[in-house]
C-alpha cells in the first residue's frame, strides 16, 4: 500500500524551522492560505550575542498553530514503524527529530551531530520506505527524501537514547516525535483584526544595537539594521567573516517575508473590489521594498568578497530607504484597516 498526505516542498519560510515544517502542511490545503496571510506581518530582531550577526525572526511563535493543529506525542507500539504508519493512516503527519549526521541524504552525513526536525508525510509498504521533508537534504535547503522503515526506527531510538536530555528544551517544539492533525479549517478571508493588532504592536526599538538584548520589531527592524551597519562603518566594531553565513540567511529571510507581505496585500485587494486605493499604494510600496531588499542582498554578497567601505555606506543607505518605505506602509495599512472597519459600521446602520 502507498499513502501520501498533501505536502508543499517550498512553503517559503525555510529560515524558520518550526514554521516551515508546519506551513509545508498548511500551504498544501488552500483553505489555510488566508489564515497564513493573516499572520507574519511583523519581523523582530534581537541582539542575542554582540559578536553574532543580529538574529531576525518572525514575530509569531509556535503557539499560533494551536488553534488549527492538534499536536500529540506519539507512543511507540511494537515499533516506531507501526506507530508512524498508524498515524499516517489516520491522516496525521509525523514531526520527528533526527540526528542528521546519520542520514545519508543529509549534507551533515558523517560530519557533525545536528538534531533537527523532519516531516514524515507518507509511506510505501511494498518498498518499505517513508516519505519525508527535511532541511539540507539532497542538495536542497528544504527538500524531499525517502528513508527505509528500519532506518527511521533506528534513528528515532538513537534520538531518544542519546539526545533526549541534551535537547530537552525542544520538547515543546515537537521533540522527539509528535503527530500533527488538522483541527478545523478557518475562514477563507484574511483576518483584519489580527493584522491590525500586529501592526499596533510595531512600537519597539532600541538604537543601542551592539548591546546584548537590544531589539526592534515591525518596520523598526530595518532602522535597527541601518544602525547596525552604520556601527560597522563608523566605529571599531567589525563583523567576523564567520558570521557571513547567518547574514546571508537573514537577508534571504527578509525577502521571503516581503513575498508573504505582498501575497497578503494581493488577497486583500481581491477581497475588496471597492475602496482599495490604499491597498494598491501598499502593494506598490511593498514592491519598492522588495526591490531594495534584492539590491541589499546583492550588496551584502559583494561586501563579503571585497570589504569596501563604500559598499557598507550603500548598505546603510539601502536599509534606511527600506525603513522609510515600511514606515509609510505601516501608517497606510493601519489607517486602511481602521477605515474598512468604520465602513462596516456605517453599512450596518443602513
Amino acid at each position: 500500500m502507498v499513502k501520501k498526505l498533501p505536502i508543499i516542498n517550498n512553503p517559503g519560510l525555510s529560515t524558520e524551522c518550526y514554521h516551515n515544517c508546519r506551513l509545508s502542511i498548511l500551504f498544501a490545503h488552500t483553505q489555510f492560505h488566508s489564515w497564513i496571510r493573516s499572520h507574519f506581518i511583523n519581523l523582530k530582531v534581537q541582539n542575542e550575542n554582540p559578536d553574532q550577526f543580529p538574529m531576525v525572526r518572525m514575530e509569531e511563535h509556535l503557539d499560533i498553530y494551536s488553534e488549527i493543529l492538534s499536536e500529540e506525542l506519539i507512543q511507540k507500539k511494537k515499533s516506531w514503524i507501526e506507530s508512524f504508519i498508524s498515524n499516517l493512516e489516520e491522516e496525521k503527519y509525523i514531526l520527528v527529530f533526527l540526528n542528521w549526521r546519520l542520514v545519508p541524504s543529509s549534507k551533515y552525513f558523517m560530519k557533525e551531530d545536528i538534531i533537527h526536525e523532519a516531516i514524515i508525510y507518507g509511506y510505501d509498504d511494498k518498498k518499505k520506505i517513508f516519505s519525508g521533508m527535511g532541511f539540507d537534504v539532497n542538495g536542497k535547503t528544504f527538500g524531499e527524501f525517502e528513508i527505509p522503515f528500519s532506518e527511521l526506527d533506528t534513528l528515532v531510538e538513537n534520538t531518544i537514547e542519546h539526545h533526549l536530555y541534551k535537547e530537552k528544551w525542544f520538547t515543546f517544539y515537537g521533540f522527539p516525535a509528535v503527530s500533527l492533525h488538522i483541527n478545523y479549517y478557518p475562514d477563507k478571508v484574511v483576518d483584519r483584526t489580527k493584522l491590525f493588532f500586529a501592526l499596533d504592536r510595531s512600537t519597539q526599538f532600541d538604537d543601542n544595537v551592539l548591546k546584548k538584548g537590544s531589539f526592534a520589531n515591525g518596520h523598526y527592524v530595518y532602522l535597527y539594521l541601518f544602525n547596525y551597519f552604520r556601527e560597522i562603518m563608523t566605529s571599531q566594531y567589525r563583523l567576523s567573516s564567520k558570521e557571513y553565513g547567518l547574514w546571508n540567511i537573514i537577508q534571504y529571510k527578509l525577502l521571503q517575508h516581503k513575498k508573504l507581505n505582498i501575497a497578503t496585500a494581493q488577497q486583500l485587494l481581491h477581497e475588496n473590489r471597492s475602496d482599495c486605493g490604499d491597498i494598491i499604494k501598499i502593494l506598490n510600496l511593498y514592491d519598492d521594498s522588495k526591490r531594495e531588499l534584492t539590491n541589499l542582498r546583492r550588496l551584502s554578497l559583494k561586501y563579503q568578497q571585497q570589504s569596501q567601505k563604500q559598499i557598507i555606506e550603500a548598505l546603510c543607505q539601502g536599509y534606511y530607504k527600506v525603513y522609510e518605505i515600511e514606515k509609510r506602509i505601516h501608517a497606510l495599512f493601519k489607517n486602511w484597516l481602521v477605515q474598512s472597519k468604520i465602513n462596516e459600521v456605517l453599512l450596518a446602520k443602513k
Side-chain angles (χ1 to χ4, degrees), residues 194-240:
K194 288 186 184 299
L195 292 180
F196 173 80
F197 284 110
L199 290 169
D200 203 44
R201 291 194 298 269
S202 300
T203 57
Q204 297 179 317
F205 175 66
D206 186 340
D207 62 1
N208 191 359
V209 294
L210 298 184
K211 178 187 71 177
K212 184 175 182 179
S214 60
F215 58 88
N217 79 325
H219 56 289
Y220 289 110
V221 166
Y222 300 102
L223 183 59
Y224 185 102
L225 290 171
F226 159 74
N227 281 322
Y228 180 79
F229 282 100
R230 188 173 61 176
E231 288 288 345
I232 292 177
M233 184 176 68
T234 60
S235 75
Q236 297 300 311
Y237 176 76
R238 291 292 177 268
L239 181 67
S240 168

Side-chain angles (χ1 to χ4, degrees), residues 47 49 54 76 100-101 112 115 123 126 247 254 284-285 301 323-324 327 329-330 341:
N47 190 334
N49 179 349
K76 180 181 177 182
W100 293 88
R101 181 178 64 83
E112 57 181 312
I115 309 303
Y123 73 93
K126 186 176 180 180
W247 178 358
L254 298 178
N284 290 334
L285 288 168
L301 294 171
Y323 164 67
E324 290 287 345
K327 181 171 69 171
I329 290 171
H330 178 272
K341 180 63 75 173

